Each structure stands twice: as structure tokens, then as C-alpha cells.
Amino acid sequence: MRAEAEQLIESIKQSVGLLRRHLDVDAATRRLAELNAKSEDPNLWTDPEFAEKLMRERTMLEDRLSSLAKIERDLDDAATLVDLAEAEGDHAVEAEGIAALRALNAEGERRQLEALLSGEADANDSYVEVHSGAGGTESCDWARMLLRMYARWAERRKFKVELIEETAGDEAGIKSATIVVKGHNAHGWLKTESGVHRLVRISPFDSNARRHTSFASVWIYPVVDDRIQIEVNESDCRIDTYRASGAGGQHVNKTESAVRITHLPTGIVVACQSERSQHKNRATAWNMLRARLYELELEKREAKANADAASKTDIGWGHQIRSYVLQPYQMVKDLRTGHVSSSPADVLDGDLDPFMEASLAQRLSGRTVAVEDVE
């Protein structure tokens, strides 16, 4: 046990050292003091957008500084517990201390990975688009399941989720939908989820209970703020209006308030129907288009800086990143990292952090993994 304890302690100390250097604790502490002082200004909220950004930065710094301090305290407590238990020959307490070190080591690795989310748009909110693939009702239902999975993941992280657009399937599920996930580092965590997702299951829509394979695509791109200038010529765009679709009833807008914008040079299409006002939907759609064009520019920069980023731009129909198998066995496998879960129900209920962490770690290290596909 002692050898394992020493290895864990050393690993946690290394994580703490990396976190302290990345955060620059002295500078972060000074900056937090400045933000605390500004937050007490009674006129702060006269500019709500500025105030929200200030409070978000303040919350982020508080979280990082407090989590680092907690890891250091918990490390000291757990190491002391192991030493005392060993000296007294209390194996049960020693095992308890080592369990605490294991948990702390995992937390240190997670925080270390999160601290490395330093891409240009990683801290931003994020759009999540889901589109059903070929396969009719099956794929529409799968797209609905994926949308719920990302919404549940966001809820687990205390992120806010807003529905921007949804097009219902002919019989069940959705043909497409867009949500915005709001929270610090939302885009940084989600960005590796772009790609084609495959589902294998016994179809609930097949009276013969046959096994079906369904596909749906996910596209992730960051919400951009006003500080990022993206020039879009209106002459390069086609703007269409249509009636919002939905489940029916009093909440469905009977006027053509929904807006779809097609950027002709790139073929990018965005749509919004979340508001009853066409004016508001049009403004949101323009923001979404700017975000998509910004993400396209980020991809070009990343591809030039790092050859490994080519995998990010090579996302197309048939370029699947993950398989979810419900029959004849239970497994979710990421085809890029090799990470596997034997509990698809948990994954579909939002337990995505291990998959995201594995993808981010692979990007940061530049590693590639050859993984055999699942049936």
C-alpha cells in the first residue's frame, strides 16, 4: 500500500505544480481582487453585457483558485492519514486514505485537463446542432436521443440550455435541432463531439423486432461575442422565412416567424424559430451564421498550426466518431480514442465527461489511436 500511496502523492503534486504554473496564482489572486472591487460598484449592471462577462471571469477565477487550494489541503490531509494509519498498523484507515488519494489524483488530472482549455473560443458558450441521417424514423428518433444526451450532460455541469430550432420528424423524433449551451468552457468541452454518431439497437418501430443501425451527425461551434468581428455580406446570403414547426397547440406560431439563412459561398445553413418575433429570430440566425464562419476560420488556423487538426475538418457523413450499441451487447466505444463504456444508458443520460476528457487529452498530446470498429 505504501508504494501506491507514494506514487499517488507524487502524481498529485505534479498536477498541483502544473495547475499553479498555468494559473499563475499570484496574478490570478490580484485579478480576482480587482474583479471583486468592480463587482461592488452600484453602477455595474447599467451595462448588463459587461457585468455578465465580469462576473463570469470572477466566478472562473474563484473556482480555479479555490479548487487548487482544496486539492492542496486534501492532499495534506490524506497523506497525513496514511502516515498515521501505517504507524498504528490500522490497515482499514490506511485503505481509506489511499482511496482518498486516488479520488484526489483523478480530480487533479481533470482540473489539469480543464486548465488546458485555452483555445481562442474554448471559454465561450456553444451551439450544438443535431441532424438525423438516412433511415427515416429510426434516425430521427436517434437524433432526438442525442439532443437529450447533450442537454442532460449540460444539466449535470449546471450549464444553461436553450432551444434555438427544432424540426420534428414525420412520425417520431427530430430531423434537426439546435441548442445553445451556456457556461464557462462549454465550447472547450463540447468541441470534440462533432462528427457522426452511430446507434445499433432493436428497433422500437419494427414490428419484427429486428436490429437496426442508425446515424446522426453532431456539429459543434462556439457562440461569438461582439468583440470578435466577422464580416458577412448580406448579398452572399439567401434568407427564407417559414412557419415554425412543433408539437401543435397554442405555442405553435401560425405566422412565418422562423428564419433560415444560407451562406452561398460556403453552403452553411442556419435557422432559428425559438421566438415568436421574426425580427428576433433573424438576429439570432445572423449571430449563428457569424459563429459558424468564425468556427470555420478557427479550423483553418488550427489546420495550419497542427496537422492533427485535419481530423476536425474531415467531418462528413460516414466519418463516424462513436458507436452506441444496445443490442446484441451493451457498449459505447469512441473510435478515435478507444475509450469504452459498458453502460450506454448512463452515457445517453449525459455521462459524457470520460469521453470528452479522453478526446481532449488525445488532442493535447497529439496521439492517435487505431481502434477497431464495433459491430
Side-chain angles (χ1 to χ4, degrees), residues 278-296:
Q278 184 187 114
H279 176 73
K280 291 181 179 178
N281 285 333
R282 184 183 294 258
T284 299
W286 278 115
N287 288 335
M288 292 170 66
L289 179 60
R290 289 174 58 242
R292 285 287 297 272
L293 292 172
Y294 177 61
E295 172 69 2
L296 187 64

Side-chain angles (χ1 to χ4, degrees), residues 12 15-17 19-20 23 25 28 32 58-76 103-115 184-185:
I12 297 166
S15 293
V16 168
L19 287 169
R20 292 187 70 87
L23 181 59
V25 173
L32 180 58
R58 178 192 178 199
T59 300
M60 180 269 292
L61 285 175
E62 282 183 335
D63 176 65
R64 290 190 174 182
L65 286 168
S66 63
S67 66
L68 177 59
K70 185 176 185 302
I71 290 174
E72 291 176 322
R73 288 195 307 271
D74 290 351
L75 173 59
D76 185 57
L104 197 56
N105 188 48
E107 174 67 9
E109 290 177 350
R110 189 185 73 79
R111 286 288 180 175
Q112 184 179 327
L113 186 62
E114 189 172 38
H184 180 65
N185 280 338

Side-chain angles (χ1 to χ4, degrees), residues 136-262:
T137 302
E138 276 290 327
S139 291
C140 288
D141 190 52
W142 174 222
R144 178 194 59 78
M145 292 167 66
L146 282 174
L147 187 69
R148 177 187 180 277
M149 179 181 75
Y150 288 112
R152 293 287 293 133
W153 171 82
E155 290 168 5
R156 286 175 176 230
R157 283 190 162 265
K158 309 299 183 187
F159 289 164
K160 185 178 179 181
V161 178
E162 294 180 5
L163 180 66
I164 299 298
E165 180 272 339
E166 181 179 299
T167 301
D170 293 332
E171 297 180 22
I174 57 173
K175 291 181 179 178
S176 67
T178 303
I179 59 174
V180 60
V181 178
K182 296 184 175 182
H184 180 65
N185 280 338
H187 181 67
W189 283 110
L190 283 163
K191 65 183 179 183
T192 61
E193 292 295 298
S194 288
V196 175
H197 297 242
R198 184 178 75 163
L199 173 69
V200 180
R201 66 171 175 174
I202 299 298
S203 170
F205 305 101
D206 188 334
S207 59
N208 295 317
R210 290 172 294 189
R211 189 170 58 163
H212 285 244
T213 299
S214 307
F215 295 90
S217 67
V218 174
W219 183 257
I220 308 293
Y221 52 102
V223 176
V224 296
D225 58 36
D226 293 336
R227 295 172 301 174
I228 301 172
Q229 298 299 319
I230 303 294
E231 296 296 330
V232 184
N233 294 323
E234 193 163 343
S235 60
D236 290 335
C237 300
R238 184 178 71 245
I239 303 175
D240 301 306
T241 59
Y242 57 99
R243 289 187 180 182
S245 63
Q250 62 178 342
H251 299 296
V252 175
N253 198 331
K254 301 302 182 183
T255 63
E256 292 192 344
S257 60
V259 177
R260 180 188 299 112
I261 301 177
T262 304

Side-chain angles (χ1 to χ4, degrees), residues 17 61 85 108 118 124 130-131 133 137 191 230 289 296 307 315 317 341 356 362 364:
L61 285 175
S118 55
N124 293 25
V130 180
H131 297 269
T137 302
K191 65 183 179 183
I230 303 294
L289 179 60
L296 187 64
I315 291 173
W317 215 245
S341 169
M356 293 177 176
Q362 184 189 71
L364 292 168

Side-chain angles (χ1 to χ4, degrees), residues 292-312:
R292 285 287 297 272
L293 292 172
Y294 177 61
E295 172 69 2
L296 187 64
E297 179 60 29
L298 288 181
E299 287 180 356
K300 292 177 181 178
R301 294 184 201 174
E302 188 176 357
K304 291 178 182 178
N306 188 345
D308 184 55
S311 61
K312 184 180 180 183

